[in-house]
């Protein structure tokens, strides 16, 4: 079933207080990596390591957002968006991860937040979207607890500097990617391939989240706090499908949801990973620290995967996410079946029903927790028309159907408060560099000129009407 319920969107309306926005992340758009005192991050190191990023692309210039801040803020305003989700570059604020504050870095984010507020746009700030200060990686990165402690200091600095001008604080973006693509599979920075390191990283990211929320609330009582998870939707295939889903759900989803929302790691996860670790890196009061009340849970959703157990245990993975060592420690025996098309330019399937299924199941498990889609969107091989504009019907169709699925979930009782399209701008798509374009606004990487695609105009129309149109 591929989103049948969502096909007919015409006229369906969004709740009056529903928030529409767009999302970006610091390393993907800012550029200016050596300016005004910014320190290096693991993505600077990784992208400058030959062979790690397609075509040797780096974030050195990216969209040059650092220098084009006002223009990009105007763009957000011209689309009529109510909120903007951005991330802060940790090493711009604290060049070596802790210690002396770089005032120029603080000032940049101050201008960003003030510029948003001046345009009537809510700032939604993510503290960590994967660009760990290199100095902290040199001390062990997310495999060591001192990185979580440094994150607490960083959260304190930002809360004091930006204060109540930030509408919603998000501690982490997609810790699954940080822990498993970064430390188990190695396709992302810092490029390590060690399942034990990855599970330690998952725990210390959880701890950083809990410490970060506490630090923000200490500085700003009443601050709205959240985390963004890329919760995976797995579709079981055949007799072993249910067991495959259980294992993956444990290591990919419940490893974060459990401690953050229920104060415990799942027993089945500990059993599945027993050959890798006894989890003795979890200290007595860690779970209490991680388990903090949240105001909203951010959910990123792009696609789903069909899975079963493989008969032989080769420990490799052939999912669309990664080739190489499995990014699912303890679930190496799971096999990802090839996605069925049509596919996006990432090779990901298009399954809007996966979004409504995910939201309704979250609403059933955590009935009091408001939800927000903090990323959803698609890369397609954009072609520029004779008029100089990208006519991206495929992206419009993708977003329309996912908004329809979101409305399905609301109809079914899920408390979904908003939607942020990924992304405002074409940008540095991590290991895939600039080859994959997710923007609703095109960026010409030679001139850095921004040109709204048809999808930007279409999205602005949905936002203005607060209603979907038909296909
Ligand atoms: C998500 C990331 C985001 C972007 C999209 C396509 O996993 O959070 O930075 O790369 O995927």
């Amino acid at each position: 079933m591929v989103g049948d319920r969502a096909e007919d969107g015409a006229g369906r309306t969004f709740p009056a207080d529903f928030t529409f926005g767009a999302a970006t992340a610091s390393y993907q758009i800012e550029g200016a990596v050596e300016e005004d005192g910014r320190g290096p991050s693991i993505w600077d190191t990784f992208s400058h390591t030959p062979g790690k990023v397609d075509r040797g692309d780096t974030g050195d210039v990216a969209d040059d957002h650092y220098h084009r801040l006002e223009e990009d803020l105007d763009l957000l305003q011209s689309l009529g968006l109510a909120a903007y989700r951005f991330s802060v570059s940790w090493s711009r604020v604290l060049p070596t991860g802790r210690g002396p504050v770089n005032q120029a870095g603080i000032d940049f984010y101050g201008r960003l937040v003030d510029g948003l507020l001046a345009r009537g746009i809510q700032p939604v700030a993510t503290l960590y979207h994967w660009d760990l200060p290199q100095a902290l990686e040199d001390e062990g990165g997310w495999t060591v607890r001192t990185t979580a402690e440094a994150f607490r200091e960083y959260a304190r600095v930002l809360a004091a500097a930006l204060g109540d001008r930030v509408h919603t604080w998000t501690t982490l973006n997609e810790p699954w990617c940080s822990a498993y693509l970064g430390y188990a599979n190695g396709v992302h920075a810092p490029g390590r391939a060690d399942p034990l390191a990855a599970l330690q990283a998952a725990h210390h990211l959880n701890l950083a989240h809990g410490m970060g929320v506490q630090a923000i609330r200490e500085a700003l009582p009443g601050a709205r706090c959240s985390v963004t998870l890329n919760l995976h939707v797995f579709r079981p295939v055949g007799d072993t499908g249910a067991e495959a889903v259980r294992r993956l759900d444990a290591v990919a989803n419940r490893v974060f949801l459990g401690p953050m929302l229920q104060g415990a790691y799942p027993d089945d996860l500990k059993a599945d990973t027993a050959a890798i670790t006894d989890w003795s890196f979890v200290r007595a009061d860690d779970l209490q620290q991680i388990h903090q009340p949240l105001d909203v849970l951010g959910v990123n959703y792009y696609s789903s995967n069909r899975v079963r157990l493989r008969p032989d245990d080769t420990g490799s993975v052939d999912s669309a996410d990664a080739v190489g060592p499995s990014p699912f420690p303890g679930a190496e025996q799971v096999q990802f079946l090839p996605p069925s098309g049509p596919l996006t330019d990432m090779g990901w399937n298009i399954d809007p029903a996966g979004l409504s299924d995910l939201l309704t199941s979250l609403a059933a498990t955590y009935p009091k927790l408001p939800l927000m889609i903090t990323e959803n969107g698609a890369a397609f091989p954009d072609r520029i028309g004779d008029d100089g504009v990208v006519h991206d019907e495929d992206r419009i169709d993708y977003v329309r159907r996912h908004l329809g699925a979101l409305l399905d979930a609301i109809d079914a009782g899920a408390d979904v408060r908003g939607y942020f399209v990924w992304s405002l701008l074409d940008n540095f798509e991590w290991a895939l560099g600039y080859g994959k374009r997710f923007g609703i606004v095109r960026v010409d990487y030679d001139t850095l000129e921004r040109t709204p695609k048809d999808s930007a105009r279409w999205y602005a129309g949905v936002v203005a009407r607060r209603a979907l149109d038909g296909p």
Side-chain angles (χ1 to χ4, degrees):
M1 180 181 59
V2 181
D4 296 332
R5 289 164 293 165
E7 295 292 327
D8 181 19
R12 296 181 71 187
T13 56
F14 292 87
D17 55 355
F18 190 85
T19 301
F20 287 101
T24 63
S26 48
Y27 190 71
Q28 295 181 277
I29 66 165
E30 284 180 4
V33 292
E34 285 182 349
E35 248 172 273
D36 293 342
R38 178 184 178 277
S41 80
I42 56 174
W43 271 97
D44 295 286
T45 308
F46 192 75
S47 65
H48 280 271
T49 306
K52 297 298 187 191
V53 176
D54 285 1
R55 293 171 310 278
D57 288 349
T58 73
D60 289 2
V61 177
D63 292 342
D64 198 30
H65 170 72
Y66 190 76
H67 297 118
R68 290 163 195 259
L69 178 61
E70 292 295 318
E71 179 185 351
D72 291 342
L73 292 172
D74 288 345
L75 208 46
L76 285 164
Q77 189 178 31
S78 71
L79 298 175
L81 300 179
Y84 176 51
R85 173 176 181 255
F86 62 95
S87 80
V88 176
S89 158
W90 186 341
S91 62
R92 221 183 258 298
V93 172
L94 295 164
T96 56
R98 60 167 83 82
V101 173
N102 177 33
Q103 191 56 38
I106 294 280
D107 290 347
F108 172 72
Y109 294 105
R111 287 199 300 281
L112 169 52
V113 165
D114 288 342
L116 289 168
L117 293 176
R119 290 166 178 82
I121 302 169
Q122 290 172 358
V124 176
T126 299
L127 272 62
Y128 185 69
H129 199 127
W130 308 353
D131 41 0
L132 187 71
Q134 182 62 42
L136 294 180
E137 179 57 32
D138 295 343
E139 295 174 12
W142 288 111
T143 70
V144 295
R145 114 182 351 252
T146 47
T147 297
E149 290 160 359
F151 184 83
R152 177 173 53 201
E153 296 308 312
Y154 167 52
R156 220 170 251 156
V157 167
L158 277 190
L162 302 179
D164 59 7
R165 292 178 288 166
V166 167
H167 182 272
T168 302
W169 296 89
T170 302
T171 52
L172 308 174
N173 174 73
E174 301 192 355
W176 179 85
C177 295
S178 304
Y180 300 129
L181 295 182
Y183 292 86
N185 168 263
V187 75
H188 277 189
R192 293 179 57 180
D194 171 358
L196 170 59
L199 293 172
Q200 289 170 329
H203 177 61
H204 295 130
L205 282 154
N206 278 327
L207 190 58
H209 160 76
M211 289 177 162
V213 169
Q214 292 175 78
I216 293 166
R217 291 217 173 104
E218 272 160 30
L220 302 166
R224 278 172 57 79
C225 292
S226 70
V227 64
T228 279
L229 303 178
N230 57 323
L231 296 169
H232 292 62
V233 173
F234 299 112
R235 308 290 197 190
V237 175
D239 293 345
T240 60
E243 172 61 9
V245 171
R246 184 199 62 71
R247 289 189 201 178
L248 290 169
D249 184 48
V251 73
N253 298 334
R254 289 184 282 119
V255 66
F256 302 111
L257 291 169
M260 288 180 183
L261 299 179
Q262 290 165 332
Y265 280 105
D267 289 337
D268 61 334
L269 170 68
K270 291 193 197 150
D272 291 347
T273 54
I276 304 171
T277 180
D278 60 4
W279 291 78
S280 53
F281 47 80
V282 180
R283 293 201 191 151
D285 77 334
D286 284 1
L287 286 157
Q288 208 182 319
Q289 298 233 42
I290 298 167
H291 186 204
Q292 298 300 319
L294 294 183
D295 298 289
V296 59
L297 175 67
V299 176
N300 291 356
Y301 176 81
Y302 290 93
S303 65
S304 63
N305 281 293
R306 297 183 307 135
V307 299
R308 66 179 178 203
L309 296 186
R310 72 173 79 240
D312 58 306
D313 190 355
T314 60
S316 70
V317 68
D318 40 19
S319 79
D321 275 330
V323 275
S326 174
F328 299 99
E332 290 83 359
Q333 213 199 323
V334 168
Q335 181 175 38
F336 286 74
L337 295 166
S340 47
L343 306 179
T344 70
D345 202 22
M346 299 291 279
W348 297 345
N349 74 351
I350 301 174
D351 182 6
L355 178 60
S356 39
D357 292 348
L358 174 59
L359 292 171
T360 46
S361 102
L362 283 169
T365 314
Y366 309 104
K368 297 203 179 83
L369 184 62
L371 305 170
M372 184 98 112
I373 301 304
T374 39
E375 282 180 32
N376 173 249
F380 287 107
D382 290 342
R383 273 174 299 276
I384 308 171
D386 294 339
D387 54 359
V389 173
V390 174
H391 302 293
D392 51 344
E393 275 308 314
D394 35 17
R395 185 172 290 105
I396 293 173
D397 185 61
Y398 178 99
V399 174
R400 178 192 285 122
R401 291 170 62 193
H402 284 78
L403 284 172
L406 187 158
L407 287 173
D408 291 341
I410 291 179
D411 287 350
D415 183 5
V416 190
R417 303 283 176 94
Y419 176 93
F420 291 75
V421 70
W422 183 271
S423 178
L424 174 67
L425 302 167
D426 290 336
N427 60 48
F428 176 80
E429 179 45 38
W430 308 111
L432 302 174
Y434 298 100
K436 306 294 176 199
R437 292 178 177 270
F438 275 90
I440 57 171
V441 174
R442 181 176 176 86
V443 175
D444 177 327
Y445 292 116
D446 295 324
T447 62
L448 295 166
E449 193 187 343
R450 282 89 161 118
T451 311
K453 303 178 190 178
D454 278 358
S455 55
R457 294 175 219 286
W458 173 83
Y459 187 52
V462 171
V463 173
R465 287 191 309 275
R466 310 192 67 77
L468 273 186
D469 56 358

